[in-house]
Each structure stands twice: as C-alpha cells, then as structure tokens.
Amino acid sequence: MDSLESELDRARDLSVADLADAIAEIGFECTRCGACCTAEDDDPHTATVFPDEVRELQAATDYDFRDVARPMPYGLTETDDGGVEGETFEWALQTDSCGDCSFYAEDDDGVGACTVHEDRPLVCQTYPFSVALAGTSQPMGEAVDEAGLVRAHECEGLGRDISRDDAEAMAATLKERAIRELEEAIGVRDEYEPANPRSGAVVVHDSEGAKRPDGSAYER
C-alpha cells in the first residue's frame, strides 16, 4: 500500500480539469431532497468535519463545540447505561434527536436547506463525490458509480446535467478535500498516543492531539 505521504502527493497533483471531466461524465444536480443531511433508517447522520471546520462553524453560529460536532461513533462501544466509551479518530457533525444533521432544516413545503450553507464543511460541499485515493473517506457507504478517480455515492441527483463551470468548481473543492483528508490522516498518525481512557470516557484523536468530547485537550 502506498504511504499516506505518497497519496498526499498524488492528491496535490490531481488535475482539476480531469476531475471536472469525471464529474460531468457522471452528472449531478442537487435536488434538495435532504437525504445526505438526515438519518437513514436507524443510523444517525455522520459527516466528517475537520477540527478547524468545527471552529469556523462555532464562529459563524456562536455555538459551543458540542453543538457543532460530536465524536465519530465508529470505534466506540456502548456502555450498560446507554452511553459510549473508548477512542475514535474523527469528529462528526452534531445531530438532533432524530439523528439528522443539526444544521438541516425544512421549510413549510418540506424543501430542505442547510442553515450554515456558506460555512458548511468540505464533505458537505462535495457530496455525493469522493476521490479514490487511499486515506480519503467514502461518505454514505460504498460508491455506486465512478469515473477515473472520482467516486459517486448514493444520491438522487446523480446522472443529471451539470454545467462546466459547476463541474470545475466542484472538482476544485473535491481536490481541496482530498488534500485536507490526507493531511488530517497524517496529522492523526503523527500525534497519536494511546489514551487508555477510564471506563465511560471518550477520547477523540485528531491532527491536533487527543481531545475530550467538548474539544478540550485530553490529559493522560
């Protein structure tokens, strides 16, 4: 397997024009269905957010850290009292009591919208696409279509015409996200030290070190 540094070099060398060609070949137009922002069956919405993106959302909303993000549930185990414990390696956008993204809202006609659209994380800006490089994430499960290095994930907007300008804008953001994901992965790897949290505690390892669920540093 290529090293994360090699994959990062590949991400930095990606051609925006080639990515745009792939996006145009697949086709996409957002229908504002809200499926990518809401819970699926019994699975809460999970969208990866970088530490600095959490702070940007805090600044945009004046929310507390916990109102913006939560520990990614993967890797955590449920306790007897219904809580969770353990160590995880990503932050996810916070969800409401229904498991939907806490920044998602519907108008009176049932049309969905992001309440922080201008400040939404890269994973939201680029959905339903991802880049097929090791160390990058695949949102919402396995790809349902692909062209070149671009993977497309389940979305009712796939297959629709997209303008060249929109395809290139999406491609540039998709490249940025791939680079950021790999930089984050390298940072997590370099900063990681087993925290061995006590029973009932949760620790999130990100590129800035080990943290508590409220975003503060975890003292071992």
Side-chain angles (χ1 to χ4, degrees):
M1 179 182 293
D2 291 335
S3 69
L4 290 174
E5 284 80 6
S6 295
E7 293 295 84
L8 177 57
D9 288 340
R10 290 182 66 195
R12 288 171 172 161
D13 288 339
L14 286 171
S15 163
V16 170
D18 289 347
L19 294 178
D21 287 343
I23 290 169
E25 179 181 335
I26 295 170
F28 170 68
E29 180 185 16
C30 179
T31 66
R32 296 183 67 182
C33 68
C36 60
C37 304
T38 54
E40 182 178 3
D41 298 325
D42 294 327
D43 293 328
H45 174 264
T46 51
T48 303
V49 59
F50 300 123
D52 63 305
E53 291 180 320
V54 177
R55 290 191 289 270
E56 289 170 6
L57 283 169
Q58 283 187 271
T61 60
D62 200 28
Y63 285 0
D64 290 334
F65 191 98
R66 286 178 182 265
D67 294 325
V68 174
R70 73 189 199 283
M72 185 66 79
Y74 309 130
L76 302 180
T77 56
E78 189 170 344
T79 59
D80 292 338
D81 60 2
V84 293
E85 63 183 9
E87 302 178 63
T88 187
F89 296 87
E90 290 178 303
W91 295 101
L93 286 176
Q94 187 56 273
T95 54
D96 62 19
S97 59
C98 297
D100 299 340
C101 176
S102 60
F103 298 111
Y104 176 75
E106 292 184 354
D107 62 20
D108 293 338
D109 296 322
V111 178
C114 174
T115 60
V116 289
H117 190 267
E118 295 302 316
D119 300 287
R120 69 197 190 282
L122 288 169
V123 69
C124 302
Q125 295 182 45
T126 53
Y127 193 83
F129 299 107
S130 66
V131 175
L133 293 176
T136 60
S137 65
Q138 294 198 63
M140 302 284 281
E142 295 297 320
V144 297
D145 197 359
E146 57 185 271
L149 285 177
V150 174
R151 303 174 292 209
H153 303 267
E154 187 174 356
C155 176
E156 72 172 34
L158 290 173
R160 297 169 181 255
D161 290 339
I162 183 171
S163 71
R164 185 64 192 183
D165 286 347
D166 287 347
E168 289 184 354
M170 175 71 81
T173 309
L174 190 59
K175 176 178 178 177
E176 179 187 358
R177 177 181 143 211
I179 292 170
R180 291 290 311 281
E181 285 180 338
L182 284 157
E183 289 175 338
E184 178 71 13
I186 290 169
V188 171
R189 180 201 65 194
D190 292 347
E191 290 290 330
Y192 176 72
E193 292 182 20
N196 300 315
R198 67 185 185 281
S199 177
V202 172
V203 174
V204 181
H205 297 276
D206 64 27
S207 58
E208 299 171 352
K211 294 177 181 174
R212 300 181 185 278
D214 65 0
S216 63
Y218 180 81
E219 302 298 336
R220 293 175 175 80

